[in-house]
Amino acid sequence: MRYRFLGNTGVRVSEICLGTMMFGGPTSEVESVELIRKAIDQGINFIDSANIYNAGESEVVLDKGIQGRRQDLV
């Protein structure tokens, strides 16, 4: 995975961002958690989330997928 600095913050983020808009909705919880864990295993540390994605269900699923690894993610 290639990384870039996020502005002048010194924070390095993966060039690929995992979007979570479909999690907790069209993409099942099981599939979503699997995708999250595979993405992290491949070096993705940049995840897009918003409390409006699927009425907040996306963030509920995201929490399950990142348990124990939150400190490594942006």
Side-chain angles (χ1 to χ4, degrees):
M1 182 61 56
R2 295 186 335 187
Y3 299 89
R4 294 181 183 244
F5 285 103
L6 184 62
N8 296 336
T9 66
V11 175
R12 287 177 9 124
V13 296
S14 54
E15 288 187 346
I16 298 172
C17 175
L18 176 65
T20 63
M21 186 171 73
M22 304 303 274
F23 295 174
T27 306
S28 75
E29 181 177 312
V30 171
E31 290 175 307
S32 299
V33 168
E34 184 178 326
L35 285 168
I36 294 163
R37 292 181 179 163
K38 284 184 178 183
I40 294 169
D41 289 343
Q42 294 297 313
I44 291 176
N45 71 344
F46 181 25
I47 299 178
D48 167 60
S49 181
N51 62 0
I52 62 167
Y53 294 164
N54 290 303
E57 285 303 307
S58 174
E59 290 190 329
V60 172
V61 171
L62 181 58
D63 178 58
K64 293 175 183 180
I66 68 171
Q67 285 185 0
R69 300 178 90 172
R70 173 60 184 103
Q71 69 281 356
D72 301 323
L73 305 171
V74 177

